[in-house]
Amino acid sequence: MGDQGEKNSSVDEIKAFLTEGFPETDATILKNRLDSLIVNGVVSLSPTSSSSNPLERSPSLLDDITPDERFKIVRSIGEECIKDAELMRLLKNKPEPIAYDGFEPSGGGCTLHRLTDAGCRVKILVAGVFARLNHKLSGDKENIRVAGKYFMEIWKAIGMKNLDKVEFVWSSDAINSRAAEYWDLVLDIVGSFSGERIKNCCAIMGRAENEDLNPGQLMYPCMQCADIFLLEADICQLGMDQRKVNMLAREYWTKIKKRKNKPRMLSQRTHNMLPGLKKGQEKMSKSDPSSAIFMEDNEDEVDKKINNAHCVEGTVEGNPCFEYIKHIIFPWFQEFEVERSEEHGGNKTFKNLEDLISDYQSKKLHPVDLKAALAKALNRILKPVRDHFNNDPEAKALLDKVKEYKVTK
Ligand SMILES: N[C@@H](Cc1ccc(O)cc1)C(=O)O
């Protein structure tokens, strides 16, 4: 398949392009983040298909949702919420609260549809300025911009509901549109905390506490803190790794005597890396593409990779297929559909992981049927992304541009 070979090489080229020019450790951090996005992005974005799940009610039903129900929907996203009572009060009193998430164009993910279903507006900050401060992609503005656009295409293609409630904001646009106010805020934040306290936030940049941070990296947490107020976010819906800066913002809010929007923090479980698909692979491995599913894999590749995955009959422990089902398929579809012949038990739709595990452990469900069902579900999720990059001339052009950079650099 000539076409497929060409697609693969472009994916490899994008990855190489996005990670080139880094010192070795940076490149490794970034590659890991990229890979986790590529698979975990699938976990967390919203499904296009309609479902009977109460968490996926249409916004037109919002009037019928009680504050308690709104709270339940929104709260279900967060591993941690600071604080439940404050979030409750917000949802009770504000018809359209603003939630925000941000990512450096090199990684990211978010469970948006639950927020929009519960009547929130979502701002996603494409934080190119921050990627630059953090020396991502060699700090090259144009490369960062292209990477940002590429990831936005993936986000949009994966299928987001209530798109009219979701706004992508480039951090440079947000800053420039209210520059005086923003820099005033940043300077005030800079002067409000000790250097130690700011350094303490370095996990938000994917840096270790003992790393030698440059001045830009000390600015970073102060600016991220200012973003929250600039975007007037009521809910900081970011990953758990971002919690320190959100706490800093809450403290700052108290210090400025509550004159701005009060940030509540709703932190998502930081996506744990999925294991590799082969036996004993604790993580997916970049040198072995068959160890993971990528957003750009075609149907045959997904089928083949899953078919070759390590999957011992009756054993759930150390079985990567179950990790995929747990972290991707159930969050996405809220069910797992097995199609098989009558002699192998007939079709069955599992509504929860426990029932699936029980059938598998008692060997009522055979690995061949489990794998076929998993591959089918993954392909259902990935189809819109494939179609988008194949059919949309602009998305295609963006990919070509990324490729072109690689050639001319
Ligand atoms: N620190 C975030 C990116 C980010 C930047 C600015 C923000 O306001 C929010 C998020 C990350 O590492 O992905």
Side-chain angles (χ1 to χ4, degrees):
M1 275 205 203
D3 175 37
Q4 175 184 332
E6 201 176 301
K7 246 174 50 199
N8 279 348
S9 70
S10 68
V11 171
D12 290 338
E13 279 179 24
I14 292 164
K15 284 184 147 195
F17 155 76
L18 289 171
T19 51
E20 77 173 351
F22 280 87
E24 191 48 50
T25 47
D26 272 10
T28 314
I29 293 167
L30 179 55
K31 276 183 188 157
N32 286 340
R33 291 194 63 181
L34 267 177
D35 276 344
S36 76
L37 169 89
I38 285 164
V39 179
N40 288 330
V42 175
V43 181
S44 48
L45 290 171
S46 77
T48 37
S49 59
S50 61
S51 136
S52 55
N53 189 318
L55 295 178
E56 295 191 11
R57 307 172 67 150
S58 106
S60 58
L61 294 174
L62 189 59
D63 292 344
D64 305 336
I65 303 184
T66 64
D68 279 340
E69 283 175 309
R70 276 183 102 189
F71 176 80
K72 218 168 132 195
I73 295 172
V74 172
R75 183 64 186 85
S76 70
I77 302 170
E79 171 105 345
E80 179 186 43
C81 175
I82 299 192
K83 299 175 173 170
D84 281 344
E86 291 176 14
L87 182 65
M88 183 68 205
R89 222 176 304 131
L90 173 77
L91 294 169
K92 221 179 207 154
N93 297 322
K94 193 166 177 178
E96 201 178 52
I98 296 176
Y100 118 104
D101 188 7
F103 68 100
E104 290 178 13
S106 64
C110 169
T111 319
L112 299 177
H113 65 293
R114 297 200 181 148
L115 291 165
T116 49
D117 278 350
C120 297
R121 205 142 60 84
V122 178
K123 295 183 181 178
I124 299 173
L125 195 73
V126 187
V129 172
F130 291 80
R132 199 171 162 204
L133 279 175
N134 205 9
H135 280 298
K136 296 287 171 67
L137 307 181
S138 326
D140 181 303
K141 278 208 280 192
E142 185 53 27
N143 289 1
I144 289 170
R145 196 157 183 93
V146 170
K149 283 186 169 173
Y150 171 70
F151 281 110
M152 270 160 73
E153 287 299 325
I154 292 191
W155 274 58
K156 288 182 178 165
I158 197 84
M160 285 196 265
K161 289 200 314 177
N162 313 336
L163 258 182
D164 55 325
K165 300 279 181 212
V166 181
E167 191 186 342
F168 283 94
V169 187
W170 285 91
S171 52
S172 49
D173 291 343
I175 292 171
N176 292 339
S177 67
R178 281 155 64 190
E181 184 190 339
Y182 185 73
W183 293 115
D184 186 59
L185 195 55
V186 172
L187 294 187
D188 199 46
I189 294 166
V190 167
S192 299
F193 298 98
S194 71
E196 277 315 302
R197 183 73 206 279
I198 298 300
K199 271 193 200 156
N200 200 17
C201 295
C202 62
I204 69 164
M205 301 174 273
R207 304 278 162 188
E209 299 236 350
N210 54 4
E211 255 181 82
D212 191 12
L213 302 178
N214 68 30
Q217 289 162 333
L218 290 172
M219 286 289 284
Y220 187 126
C222 303
M223 288 171 61
Q224 182 162 332
C225 177
D227 288 348
I228 296 167
F229 301 103
L230 184 77
L231 297 175
E232 294 167 1
D234 302 300
I235 302 173
C236 300
Q237 202 275 290
L238 295 98
M240 200 61 112
D241 55 343
Q242 306 293 314
R243 75 184 299 289
K244 286 206 169 150
V245 73
N246 295 328
M247 292 307 281
L248 190 84
R250 285 174 59 87
E251 200 175 314
Y252 179 69
W253 178 81
T254 314
K255 184 191 161 273
I256 57 170
K257 310 221 171 8
K258 314 181 178 182
R259 282 195 302 270
K260 292 186 183 289
N261 50 292
K262 176 172 193 178
R264 284 89 174 162
M265 176 167 90
L266 192 63
S267 303
Q268 252 188 311
R269 184 174 55 84
T270 315
H271 297 305
N272 46 352
M273 295 264 288
L274 286 163
L277 289 167
K278 303 270 191 65
K279 185 176 178 186
Q281 281 179 334
E282 274 177 28
K283 286 185 185 160
M284 9 191 232
S285 145
K286 277 135 272 151
S287 55
D288 177 7
S290 66
S291 72
I293 303 293
F294 297 102
M295 296 293 277
E296 297 85 356
D297 284 347
N298 68 28
E299 198 172 331
D300 289 346
E301 285 166 322
V302 172
D303 289 346
K304 209 157 106 203
K305 285 181 184 182
I306 297 298
N307 194 28
N308 292 332
H310 176 64
C311 188
V312 176
E313 185 175 11
T315 307
V316 171
E317 186 90 344
N319 185 331
C321 294
F322 274 87
E323 295 297 312
Y324 272 65
I325 294 167
K326 178 175 172 192
H327 293 294
I328 299 179
I329 309 304
F330 270 109
W332 195 275
F333 296 112
Q334 289 88 40
E335 61 182 31
F336 185 70
E337 229 182 303
V338 173
E339 287 174 19
R340 55 189 172 179
S341 60
E342 286 304 326
E343 61 183 296
H344 293 132
N347 296 348
K348 184 162 178 182
T349 302
F350 294 89
K351 293 286 178 194
N352 60 59
L353 189 65
E354 293 70 41
D355 291 351
L356 181 73
I357 288 177
S358 150
D359 268 27
Y360 194 75
Q361 282 176 333
S362 59
K363 302 198 179 175
K364 279 190 217 146
L365 174 61
H366 192 268
V368 169
D369 295 320
L370 180 92
K371 284 178 173 184
L374 172 56
K376 192 163 180 198
L378 286 170
N379 277 322
R380 251 178 86 192
I381 295 172
L382 290 176
K383 187 170 186 306
V385 179
R386 274 181 212 136
D387 290 351
H388 182 65
F389 279 99
N390 278 331
N391 303 335
D392 183 302
E394 273 179 44
K396 215 177 193 160
L398 193 63
L399 258 167
D400 291 343
K401 199 165 167 199
V402 171
K403 260 168 100 177
E404 200 180 292
Y405 275 132
K406 175 72 184 159
V407 177
T408 53
K409 265 198 95 158

